[in-house]
């Protein structure tokens, strides 16, 4: 399924101990597991044959390592606005543990104490989208789950909270693009493993 319009390839980083255990990993630099490294290496063959006008990565070590193992490390431009959601007081904590103390809590609705709200992550996503549309090329992005989910929601014109409806596995590839013209942003593929 190819397109005459620019496409944005989104890659979630490979598995870490914290992603495996469900701990919120925002700004902590948790290394990839051996499985995460292997999945990152396999991204190279999955992305082979695509020509990218630019490669952008979150500053996190897990995103940069995934990018490097996939074969794009030397081309990557590190962008701070691609960083994962800042979980503040919930950094390293599982949703189950948060819900035990704060029943009914939802990340995309409630945000995190001393961290970001969905609107904060949405503002960063809007900055990235502005840069993507100005670049007008096919771009490869390495980042983290919750931020990429907000980016997808904002790409479609949904509020940042709309990211709650998109799930991403580690080392997955998703593609944003357009349908009939540049005024019709769409999700062309999602969460491919």
């Amino acid at each position: 399924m190819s397109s005459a319009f620019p496409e944005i390839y989104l890659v979630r980083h490979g598995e870490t101990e914290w992603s495996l255990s469900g701990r919120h990993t925002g700004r902590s630099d948790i290394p990839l597991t051996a499985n995460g490294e292997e999945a990152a290496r396999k991204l190279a063959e999955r992305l082979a044959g695509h020509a990218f006008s630019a490669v952008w990565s979150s500053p996190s070590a897990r995103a940069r390592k995934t990018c490097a193992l996939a074969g794009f490390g030397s081309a990557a431009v590190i962008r701070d606005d691609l960083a994962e959601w800042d979980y503040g007081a919930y950094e390293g904590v599982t949703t189950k543990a948060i819900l035990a103390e704060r029943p009914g809590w939802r990340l995309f609705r409630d945000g995190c104490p001393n961290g970001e709200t969905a609107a904060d992550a949405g503002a960063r996503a809007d900055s990235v989208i502005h840069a993507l549309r100005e670049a007008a090329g096919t771009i490869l992005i390495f980042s983290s789950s919750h931020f990429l989910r907000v980016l997808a929601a904002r790409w479609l014109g949904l509020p940042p909270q709309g990211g709650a409806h998109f799930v991403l596995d580690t080392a997955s590839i998703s593609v944003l693009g357009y349908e009939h013209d540049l005024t019709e942003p769409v999700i062309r593929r999602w969460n491919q493993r």
Side-chain angles (χ1 to χ4, degrees):
M1 202 197 258
S2 64
S3 172
F5 303 110
E7 294 182 318
I8 311 306
Y9 282 68
L10 308 177
V11 177
R12 182 181 176 198
H13 63 77
E15 176 190 271
T16 69
E17 287 296 333
W18 281 18
S19 66
L20 190 59
S21 65
R23 294 171 70 181
H24 286 88
T25 316
R27 305 303 163 89
S28 298
D29 262 333
I30 307 301
L32 299 179
T33 62
N35 286 339
E37 289 185 0
E38 182 60 25
R41 281 186 201 91
K42 288 180 179 177
L43 287 166
E45 47 192 79
R46 293 170 56 207
L47 293 167
H50 297 286
F52 299 106
S53 59
V55 178
W56 297 349
S57 177
S58 158
S60 74
R62 61 193 178 274
R64 288 183 289 116
K65 180 77 168 191
T66 300
C67 177
L69 290 172
F72 296 93
S74 63
V77 173
I78 306 304
R79 291 185 56 112
D80 291 340
D81 51 6
L82 290 172
E84 177 60 304
W85 197 305
D86 182 348
Y87 299 116
Y90 293 157
E91 181 76 8
V93 183
T94 65
T95 298
K96 182 179 179 181
I98 296 166
L99 289 171
E101 290 184 19
R102 191 173 167 189
W105 174 81
R106 294 288 176 259
L107 173 65
F108 286 90
R109 182 190 64 213
D110 304 321
C112 301
N114 303 316
E116 286 186 304
T117 64
D120 296 329
R124 289 191 295 111
D126 288 346
S127 171
V128 171
I129 290 168
H130 177 76
L132 289 168
R133 292 200 169 124
E134 286 214 336
T138 295
I139 297 178
L140 175 61
I141 293 176
F142 292 84
S143 189
S144 298
S145 178
H146 286 132
F147 179 75
L148 290 174
R149 292 166 64 179
V150 171
L151 181 65
R154 295 302 300 138
W155 180 262
L156 297 175
L158 300 172
Q161 294 83 351
H165 302 290
F166 303 102
V167 173
L168 282 175
D169 295 319
T170 54
S172 62
I173 299 172
S174 300
V175 182
L176 307 177
Y178 300 92
E179 189 167 14
H180 300 107
D181 60 43
L182 297 178
T183 67
E184 293 186 61
V186 297
I187 294 176
R188 297 189 61 80
R189 291 180 285 289
W190 191 257
N191 198 37
Q192 295 188 320
R193 296 238 338 132

